[in-house]
Amino acid sequence: MSPTREEVAALLEVLEGLPHTEWLTPAEAAHRAAIELGDEELLWWADHQLWTAWSYSGGERTRALPYFVRMVTQLEAQPDWWDDEYTRYTLWAYKGAVMTALSTPDISLDQIEGFIGSMRANYARFGRPDRSVLMTEYRVRRHTHGYPAADELFAQWTEMPRDDLSDCEGCEPTSLALHAAELGRWEEAARISLHVLEEASLHCSEQPQHICAAAVEPLLRTGEIEGARWAHLTGCRLSGHNPHDALEMARHVSNAARAGEPLRALELMEARRRLGFGDPMAELTWLAMGAGALGILAAEHPDLDVHVHADLTETAAGARDRLQAEALSLAARFDDRNGTDTVSTWVRAAFAPEPLPGLDLPVSGLDRVRPAAGEDFATLVQDPIAADARRREIREAEDDLALVALGAAWIDADLPDPATAQALVAAAELDWVAGFVHLRRNEPALLEAAQQRGLRRLRTAGRDAKAALWEMFRLRPPIQEVDDDAIARATDWHAQAASHPDPIEVARAHQAYGEVLHAGQRFDEAAGFYEGALVMLTSVSPDDGEALRLQARILARQAWLPGADSDRLLGEALDRARTAGAGTALLLAQVVQFRLGSGHPDTADSVCEFLDQAGTENDFAAWGAVPLATHPEAMPATERAIPLIQRIVVRAQGTPEGWQALRALADLSLRSGRLLEVAELADQGLRIAESAAFPADEVELGTSHLHMLAAQANDALGDPARAAHHARAYLATVGDNDRRAWALTVIAQHSGLAMDWENALASAQAEGDPANASEAIQGGVLALRREHGPGPALELIDREQPRLAAMTDDEGFTDFITGVCEHWRARMQGDQGGNAEPAFVAAQEAFERADGPQQAIRVRLEHGHWLHRSGRTAEAIEVFRTTAEAAAPLGLTDEAQSAAYEWSEALAELGRDEEAAEVARRFGLTD
């Protein structure tokens, strides 16, 4: 049943009471409801709210752009329901859209200029001053050519009077202060910053935290040490755990290190190591400034272990080198897009920043180089039992600082689980203390991880009852102790039951305690076979509904035994469930699962009966729809299954069943090609996993699955940065697996680094995966050429081509591999000024054998270009001619016209103008 207009409007209104950083999940729900309703005006509002949500999400901000484009489409169409308020909201959004596009190197300057052109035209159309347009053009120029080159546009923008589309009076000064600072006008930058910091009426959702980040350096340089310290501490408190403020935190990290507080900078970096970046520019700023800060730290402590990566322990020097390499690689992508070297120049400068006057911050209690409370906790936690004994002493002394330091040391120790039960329990108690540290740091996700780790260790040690009680206290202050008497009372009965010599007596005792399900299970175990269990249940309570439901369950379990009469047993189970008034959808699901793949004549009817029944029962009965969604025989009924799975996702939020359903829906959406939906569902599922109290092993498996789906979807959507992020997370959650080569290939596509392509190639060869191996060798060749020149790239081709050809018996694929390698060989030989012609010919012939006419045509076209560049124009003309004439009958129109254009141009160079004109006319190159 579709939602009403009032219900959709109510969903949108919910957002107004939330901070922007918490909008995403409810905005997605409102957007789906608006689409289902089909109301264009509400859908425009939903587009606007989802645009805002993605812009502030701390995730991939480019996901906001499609919603912005739809807003502009309605602005320009001016439908009957349009309102002037909508015009202002859309014109305002142009500023963010351009900056989002500018901050992503995969979006071309032509597209960005298109946004600005549309902005200028619509501002003029609706009678608005172009002040904000000039500001946007200034920001683009500043990024592509640097602050000095943008100074003229800065003056044009700031000399115009403010209007209602200008950034607010608190936010605009951040840009003014940064511009003044970059040009060395420190007094001016300090004056602007202090005005916003001291005037509370100028504060908004982004202030004062953004001006805090801009203010620290000017205030330090002008002697305002107290003001700088206040701006730093306040900015870190407001921005430290906000994924949207990665760029601001990068400034705080850099300023702290430059002002004599490199350990403070490290602490800030480690606290954000599991947070993402809003866009590649924020990531680049974090990498470059972080590398500079680590460089200062490594000068004093090169071998200090640091945790600035979510999944790695590195030395300070090693982390510095890694961040530098990643920053330079990302900067090169921006410069390739911009056609300048401005970004790379800035990045290299950030690696070696100038020192600043000292901030004189207080010593941190978590300082690993200067141990708190005079104790070497890092050594102590190597022995969990001794560390736990010391924990108890510290608790009795009520020394909070030492307790926090002990917890921090345990976090940093990152030790494997000890072997003995006693050590496991002691380690779990220290995890509890580590959780207290995360609570103090306001790190809810890391708090949850520490508590889950403690629960897992308790269960491994066989302390299930204690773990269960602990779980009850999980969301309360983590320092709370579990009452030992309560544990003893809870474990007494189950401990006796587990060791009782007569399982029938145990079963009856379970029944006396009202534990009917346990009784049925014990009867089943006591009888040793299903018939005995059924007799026991019938004799104990022949008319009891719960007993009948248990009988139904046992019959259903019996149906899956080898050689069982499954149809009969499942039929009896259904009869008893119906007699008990119980739901039958889950039993029907078992009927369907049995019949799928068995060739049963009533399979299709069973599927439909189940779907109808599941649709009328509770949401968890509908869970049985999930296996149907992915089974080939059930695909005709998939459309009936999807709404049931969606119902679980919506109504069972926060439960393991709802989370499993969301993953199944994302999986099905990927199979159906609904890539944007897959990406949204995967992100939603990962956010749920961060805060939900699910079993740790289920979280690990589920997040691995979601990261894999998200990586596949974003890879197909052409979003390499986001795909690589999820591929890395996928590898971190599952370790060695049969998709490792694929994941490493996705990572290499984003980084472009030769070492990443070599890792992907080695993994693909180990897995016997020729497709990913082929892609890896191509990427490796490109990377080596870029990093070291064509010589090493040719060596890679020579070394790996025979190995690739030996990976498969498929002659067609072997020819394809040969074509790929020879094509790249020709390019590298051409780069070296050598004779590339034999390699071009070999590549063309291999592609033709592999039935790849388009690839062969493209190689021929490139062969012609090489001949033309080599001064062999007559030979090039012949290659272009044969290529154009071969491509046209194959329907390869673009290739035919490209070859014809080159043919015509080469003829014109030789003065054969009439022939050139005839070629252009023949292939439709002229009007």
Side-chain angles (χ1 to χ4, degrees):
M1 181 174 162
S2 296
T4 65
R5 198 175 197 278
E6 291 72 21
E7 288 172 336
V8 176
L11 287 172
L12 291 167
E13 287 173 8
V14 167
L15 301 173
E16 302 305 326
L18 299 172
H20 286 147
T21 52
E22 296 178 14
W23 272 29
L24 189 54
T25 298
E28 288 173 333
H31 195 268
R32 287 193 294 269
I35 291 173
E36 188 175 355
L37 177 64
D39 184 303
E40 286 192 2
E41 184 174 9
L42 282 179
L43 183 55
W44 183 90
W45 263 114
D47 282 334
H48 176 270
Q49 303 301 66
L50 201 46
W51 146 260
T52 304
W54 273 115
S55 297
Y56 283 90
S57 69
E60 183 55 53
R61 290 181 195 157
T62 53
R63 305 270 302 266
L65 291 176
Y67 305 106
F68 167 73
V69 170
R70 287 207 291 264
M71 290 162 57
V72 172
T73 300
Q74 295 286 34
L75 167 76
E76 295 178 343
Q78 292 286 294
D80 294 340
W81 48 264
W82 193 260
D83 186 90
D84 287 345
E85 181 184 30
Y86 304 162
T87 298
R88 183 179 183 280
Y89 280 135
T90 308
L91 294 178
W92 179 278
Y94 266 108
K95 297 182 290 183
V98 173
M99 292 309 297
T100 296
L102 186 67
S103 300
T104 306
D106 299 324
I107 297 179
S108 70
L109 277 182
D110 286 344
Q111 291 173 285
I112 295 168
E113 291 296 337
F115 275 137
I116 295 176
S118 171
M119 181 183 186
R120 184 178 293 281
N122 279 322
Y123 269 56
R125 174 183 174 184
F126 294 100
R128 300 305 180 100
D130 63 355
R131 186 177 190 273
S132 292
V133 181
L134 288 168
M135 179 195 72
T136 305
E137 291 179 322
Y138 153 74
R139 288 176 171 172
V140 173
R141 182 72 176 174
R142 180 185 71 188
H143 167 73
T144 57
H145 289 77
Y147 279 87
D151 201 31
E152 183 177 346
L153 277 170
F154 177 85
Q156 293 176 27
W157 157 43
T158 54
E159 287 169 4
M160 289 187 69
R162 288 175 49 80
D163 58 76
D164 67 331
L165 290 174
S166 298
D167 283 0
C168 81
E169 291 182 90
C171 288
E172 191 168 279
T174 302
S175 293
L176 306 185
L178 287 172
H179 187 84
E182 287 292 336
L183 297 181
R185 304 200 295 260
W186 301 111
E187 296 286 348
E188 178 185 343
R191 185 181 68 254
I192 294 169
S193 301
L194 283 173
H195 176 63
V196 179
L197 291 174
E198 294 172 355
E199 181 53 67
S201 65
L202 299 181
H203 296 177
C204 65
S205 63
E206 296 185 354
Q207 301 298 344
Q209 57 267 39
H210 287 190
I211 196 68
C212 281
V216 175
E217 182 172 1
L219 293 176
L220 285 174
R221 287 182 178 274
T222 55
E224 295 280 353
I225 306 300
E226 282 298 322
R229 185 183 300 119
W230 184 91
H232 174 76
L233 294 174
T234 301
C236 291
R237 178 172 56 82
L238 295 174
S239 297
H241 302 289
N242 184 352
H244 182 65
D245 286 348
L247 192 148
E248 284 68 35
M249 285 307 300
R251 295 187 185 280
H252 286 302
V253 166
S254 176
N255 288 332
R258 296 165 64 196
E261 299 287 347
L263 294 169
R264 163 71 174 175
L266 174 61
E267 185 177 311
L268 295 175
M269 293 183 73
E270 290 184 330
R272 282 190 61 90
R273 67 184 183 272
R274 297 185 189 278
L275 295 180
F277 305 98
D279 53 57
M281 179 52 70
E283 180 180 6
L284 176 62
T285 306
W286 179 262
L287 292 170
M289 290 188 165
L294 287 171
I296 294 171
L297 177 65
E300 297 182 28
H301 308 288
D303 298 324
L304 177 68
D305 283 346
V306 300
H307 305 89
V308 297
H309 186 284
D311 304 304
L312 297 177
T313 298
E314 310 165 276
T315 64
R320 173 203 60 201
D321 295 344
R322 177 177 61 80
L323 264 62
Q324 285 184 354
E326 292 177 9
L328 287 171
S329 176
L330 185 51
R333 292 172 58 204
F334 276 107
D335 284 340
D336 286 347
R337 190 270 306 272
N338 299 338
T340 66
D341 63 355
T342 301
V343 179
S344 294
T345 299
W346 173 84
V347 164
R348 290 189 177 90
F351 292 163
E354 296 179 7
L356 293 173
L359 273 171
D360 297 326
L361 295 173
V363 174
S364 167
L366 304 179
D367 188 334
R368 291 192 299 276
V369 178
R370 295 167 287 189
E375 291 190 56
D376 184 3
F377 288 128
T379 301
L380 181 63
V381 295
Q382 301 293 326
D383 182 350
I385 297 174
D388 189 50
R390 182 70 185 113
R391 175 191 70 83
R392 295 176 188 276
E393 294 173 4
I394 293 172
R395 282 296 313 284
E396 290 174 5
E398 298 183 352
D399 186 346
D400 276 358
L401 180 63
L403 186 64
V404 170
L406 173 60
W410 181 254
I411 294 170
D412 295 334
D414 199 21
L415 302 174
D417 288 342
T420 67
Q422 184 183 5
L424 280 167
V425 173
E429 297 293 348
L430 289 173
D431 284 318
W432 203 243
V433 176
F436 184 42
V437 176
H438 288 308
L439 185 70
R440 287 282 187 90
R441 290 176 171 178
N442 190 25
E443 297 172 340
L446 299 181
L447 162 62
E448 181 73 11
Q451 292 174 330
Q452 288 284 4
R453 189 169 61 235
L455 284 169
R456 186 168 64 249
R457 285 174 171 156
L458 283 176
R459 291 189 174 112
T460 303
R463 304 297 176 87
D464 288 340
K466 185 169 185 176
L469 282 173
W470 198 1
E471 193 160 8
M472 291 169 59
F473 291 107
R474 256 177 350 100
L475 300 181
R476 300 184 185 181
I479 204 61
Q480 180 170 349
E481 292 283 351
V482 179
D483 187 295
D484 288 338
D485 291 338
I487 296 167
R489 290 194 300 273
T491 57
D492 182 58
W493 154 244
H494 286 284
Q496 291 181 41
S499 60
H500 199 286
D502 187 346
I504 295 178
E505 288 300 317
V506 173
R508 287 178 176 158
H510 272 296
Q511 190 179 28
Y513 270 79
E515 298 175 334
V516 182
L517 178 58
H518 284 90
Q521 291 170 339
R522 291 294 188 176
F523 282 135
D524 180 22
E525 294 168 12
F529 50 89
Y530 291 107
E531 286 81 356
L534 293 170
V535 170
M536 288 287 184
L537 279 169
T538 304
S539 65
V540 171
S541 182
D543 300 318
D544 184 83
E546 184 65 25
L548 287 169
R549 282 190 283 272
L550 280 168
Q551 291 174 51
R553 284 178 56 132
I554 291 172
L555 283 163
R557 287 163 58 192
Q558 188 179 7
W560 292 94
L561 289 176
D565 186 352
S566 301
D567 244 10
R568 177 186 64 80
L569 291 166
L570 287 170
E572 290 183 16
L574 284 169
D575 289 341
R576 297 190 190 193
R578 288 169 179 146
T579 302
T584 58
L586 293 178
L587 281 171
L588 279 165
Q590 292 190 50
V591 173
V592 172
Q593 286 175 320
F594 163 70
R595 291 180 176 175
L596 286 172
S598 68
H600 196 286
D602 298 328
T603 298
D605 291 340
S606 300
V607 170
C608 293
E609 181 187 0
F610 159 71
L611 291 172
D612 292 339
Q613 187 66 29
T616 61
E617 292 187 11
N618 62 62
D619 295 313
F620 301 110
W623 170 248
V626 173
L628 301 183
T630 55
H631 197 288
E633 288 184 44
M635 288 308 287
T638 295
E639 291 304 316
R640 298 175 71 171
I642 290 175
L644 299 179
I645 303 174
Q646 289 174 328
R647 192 175 75 186
I648 301 172
V649 172
V650 173
R651 298 189 188 176
Q653 291 185 22
T655 69
E657 289 81 3
W659 192 51
Q660 290 169 358
L662 184 145
R663 285 150 42 202
L665 187 59
D667 201 356
L668 181 60
S669 298
L670 184 66
R671 293 166 185 262
S672 306
R674 297 195 292 267
L675 299 174
L676 282 173
E677 185 175 332
V678 176
E680 291 178 3
L681 288 168
D683 286 344
Q684 183 181 347
L686 290 167
R687 290 196 299 274
I688 290 170
E690 287 179 357
S691 58
F694 301 155
D697 55 348
E698 183 177 337
V699 170
E700 185 173 351
L701 180 64
T703 53
S704 170
H705 184 209
L706 288 168
H707 280 303
M708 181 185 72
L709 294 174
Q712 289 176 305
N714 283 287
D715 188 28
L717 286 167
D719 190 340
R722 195 167 181 81
H725 164 75
H726 286 292
R728 288 191 186 95
Y730 170 73
L731 286 176
T733 55
V734 297
D736 293 334
N737 58 85
D738 58 358
R739 302 296 309 273
R740 187 174 181 81
W742 158 79
L744 288 169
T745 300
V746 171
I747 292 168
Q749 286 170 338
H750 173 237
S751 73
L753 297 176
M755 62 179 182
D756 286 341
W757 282 115
E758 288 173 7
N759 289 338
L761 179 59
S763 185
Q765 289 172 337
E767 292 176 20
D769 181 351
N772 276 311
S774 170
E775 188 166 356
I777 193 172
Q778 295 180 72
V781 167
L782 270 174
L784 285 170
R785 179 174 68 172
R786 183 175 60 249
E787 295 174 20
H788 305 291
L794 272 171
E795 291 175 7
L796 176 66
I797 295 170
D798 291 339
R799 183 177 71 248
E800 299 299 338
Q801 184 174 349
R803 298 182 190 174
L804 285 177
M807 288 179 71
T808 176
D809 295 330
D810 184 338
E811 291 185 4
F813 194 83
T814 301
D815 286 332
F816 174 78
I817 290 292
T818 301
V820 167
C821 291
E822 292 299 328
H823 187 192
W824 282 107
R825 186 190 308 280
R827 290 180 174 183
M828 298 304 103
Q829 290 172 338
D831 286 350
Q832 290 182 317
N835 181 15
E837 189 159 22
F840 275 124
V841 173
Q844 177 187 331
E845 292 174 349
F847 280 133
E848 287 172 347
R849 290 195 304 273
D851 194 24
Q854 190 168 21
Q855 292 96 325
I857 290 294
R858 288 174 178 172
V859 171
R860 291 169 67 171
L861 184 57
E862 198 167 331
H863 182 193
H865 288 152
W866 175 78
L867 289 168
H868 198 180
R869 289 195 306 271
S870 302
R872 296 162 63 177
T873 306
E875 294 173 73
I877 287 173
E878 181 62 18
V879 171
F880 289 139
R881 180 188 67 78
T882 57
T883 302
E885 292 176 346
L890 297 173
L892 301 175
T893 305
D894 291 343
E895 288 80 359
Q897 289 189 332
S898 294
Y901 173 80
E902 299 295 343
W903 178 13
S904 174
E905 290 292 301
L907 287 168
E909 283 182 22
L910 297 181
R912 296 159 62 178
D913 294 339
E914 291 185 4
E915 293 178 65
E918 173 59 23
V919 170
R921 182 198 61 75
R922 175 182 168 190
F923 285 90
L925 302 179
T926 59
D927 295 332

